[in-house]
Amino acid sequence: MLERRVAGSVAKKHHVALREGGELRYEECLTRDGFDGPYTILYHRGRPHAQRAVELTHGWTAPAETPGQPSQRALRKRHYQSQKLAAGGGSPIDARVPLLFNRDVVLGVVKPKGDDPTYFSNGDGDDLYYVHEGGGTLRSVLGDVVFGAGDYVYVPRGLVHRFVLDGGAAQYWLSIEAAGGVGPLKQFRNDVGQLRMDAPYSHRDFKRPHFEAPRDEHIRDLVVRRDGRWHGFTLEDSPLDVVGWDGTVYPWAFPILAFQPRVSSIHLPPTWHGTFATKGALICSFVPRLLDFAPDSIPCPYPHSSVNCDEILFYADGNFTSRRGVGPASISHHPMGVPHGPHPGAYEASIGATRTDELAVMLDTYLPLQTTAAALAVEDPGYQDSFI
Ligand SMILES: [Fe+2]
C-alpha cells in the first residue's frame, strides 16, 4: 500500500451520511486483514452489493498439478520458452496461462487480444503484472491507471476493474497472483509509512488512479474469482458510479526503470534488487547498471545454493551474460536443493566488465513451485545439460 489518497467527494467522517443534491450516497469499505489492515472507503450512487447471481463463462483455467508433481518429477534446472506459448486470445480475464505455482503465488503469462468485456474482481489474491509488451488502461472503481511496456501494474484483491488495451499493440504480460498481498518492502518505510530517503524508489515514481467523476460504460456483468473458481453476477448499477473515495488500497503502476539499482565494490546479493514483497516470495528487478568496481571483483553472479528458495527469472531485455540460450520472455526456474550459477565461461569472462544492460524480473519463493501442463509444453529439454 502507498500513502492515503482522496478523490472526489467524501463524507466528513467515516460512516456518516454523504448527500449530494439531497441524495444519500452509499458507502463501501474495502478492507484488508479483516478490519485491521489498510482500507479504502468509496461512496456510490447505487448500492454496491446489489448483485444478481448469473451464469457467466469467463476466466483462465486454475493451475493444476501436472501428474507426477512435485515429488516424482526429477530435480532439474528448467527453462520455459514462454515465447512459444500461443496468444491465449480473448481479453485479459480469459487469456492468462498459469505456468508455475505454489500456495503463495501463481506465475503466468497473459497475451490478451482485446478489452475485458466485463468487470473482474479477484477474490484469491492481489495481481501484479509486469508488462513486457503492450499497454493500456486499468479501469477501476477508483479511477483509471494508464500503463505501458516496462511497467509493473498492481491490482489489489477484490478491486472491481477491467482492462482496456491500447489498440493494435501486441500485449505480453507476466502475471503474479499473490495470496498474501504485494507491496513495497517493510524496510523501505520510515515510522510514518513514507518511503525512506534511501529506498530504491520514491512516492513520485508511482502512477496512481486518475479519478474524475461517476461514469457508466453500460456494462453490468461482473466475474469474481474465488478459490480458483469463477462466479458471475449482474449488477444493478454501474460499479463506476463512485462519487469519491479515500484510503490506501488502490491500484498503481510502477515503471521498472524507476527502480534505482545499487552498485558496490563487490557483487551484491539479489536482496539488493528486492522491489516488492509478498508472503512467501520476494520480487526483484534487475535493471541496467554499473558493475562492481573492486580490483579483481567478479561481477557475474557466483554459483550458489540458496537452500530454501526456488528462483524464477523472467528475462525482459538486454544481454544476459550469465545465461546461454535464453532470450526475451524466457523463464528460468532454478529449484532449491541443487546449486545453480553462470553458464560455462561467463564467470571468467565477466572480470573487468563495467556495466550490464540486463532487464529482468526475478521471483524467489520459499515453497517449491509446481509446473502446469502449459509450462511443460514449452520447456527447453537441453537446459539442464547446458551448464556442462
Ligand atoms: Fe540465483
Side-chain angles (χ1 to χ4, degrees), residues 270 304 311 323 334 340 362:
H304 56 279
E311 179 190 295
R323 297 272 180 273
H334 293 160
H340 67 265
M362 190 178 87

Side-chain angles (χ1 to χ4, degrees), residues 71-304:
S71 55
Q72 293 167 27
R73 194 166 187 232
L75 184 64
R76 299 283 187 268
K77 299 177 184 70
R78 307 283 183 180
H79 170 208
Y80 302 103
Q81 295 167 300
S82 87
Q83 314 86 332
K84 293 186 175 174
L85 287 169
S91 75
I93 298 174
D94 296 307
R96 194 180 305 197
V97 181
L99 299 174
L100 297 158
F101 66 101
N102 62 25
R103 258 199 338 257
D104 298 319
V105 291
V106 181
L107 183 124
V109 162
V110 196
K111 298 182 185 179
K113 285 285 191 194
D115 302 345
D116 282 324
T118 72
Y119 295 107
F120 167 46
S121 161
N122 192 344
D124 281 345
D126 288 358
D127 280 311
L128 184 73
Y129 302 92
Y130 172 72
V131 180
H132 177 54
E133 291 176 359
T137 300
L138 164 66
R139 178 150 299 154
S140 81
V141 290
L142 304 177
D144 283 0
V145 179
V146 176
F147 62 92
D151 283 348
Y152 287 104
V153 180
Y154 168 72
V155 186
R157 177 196 285 249
L159 185 79
V160 174
H161 69 281
R162 72 185 191 97
F163 281 103
V164 179
L165 306 182
D166 287 346
Q171 305 281 345
Y172 200 138
W173 311 347
L174 179 74
S175 70
I176 301 169
E177 184 186 68
V182 174
L185 276 64
K186 273 195 180 125
Q187 59 266 39
F188 292 171
R189 296 182 188 277
N190 61 27
D191 287 348
V192 297
Q194 188 179 22
L195 292 167
R196 291 170 51 100
M197 292 284 285
D198 58 2
Y201 46 77
S202 82
H203 289 271
R204 297 182 192 178
D205 294 322
F206 289 83
K207 304 181 213 177
R208 299 170 179 79
H210 176 72
F211 176 87
E212 275 191 349
R215 61 196 297 176
D216 189 346
E217 299 186 297
H218 305 287
I219 298 172
R220 294 292 182 270
D221 288 341
L222 167 71
V223 285
V224 177
R225 183 176 153 86
R226 181 65 193 147
D227 207 15
R229 296 191 301 127
W230 295 86
H231 310 271
F233 299 93
T234 299
L235 307 174
E236 210 163 70
D237 300 296
S238 165
L240 309 187
D241 67 344
V242 172
V243 301
W245 60 271
D246 78 334
T248 57
V249 179
Y250 52 83
W252 43 253
F254 173 85
I256 192 170
L257 291 177
F259 182 82
Q260 302 150 209
R262 305 299 169 102
V263 178
S264 168
S265 53
I266 57 165
H267 192 85
L268 291 170
T271 37
W272 282 87
H273 303 267
T275 311
F276 303 117
T278 179
K279 179 177 161 285
L282 178 68
I283 297 150
C284 301
S285 304
F286 289 84
V287 300
R289 62 193 182 280
L290 299 176
L291 290 171
D292 327 322
F293 49 85
D296 233 14
S297 65
I298 302 177
C300 193
Y302 36 76
H304 56 279

Side-chain angles (χ1 to χ4, degrees), residues 44-57:
H44 291 267
R45 285 182 168 167
R47 297 158 66 242
H49 54 302
Q51 308 147 333
R52 196 181 305 280
V54 293
E55 285 297 319
L56 289 175
T57 51

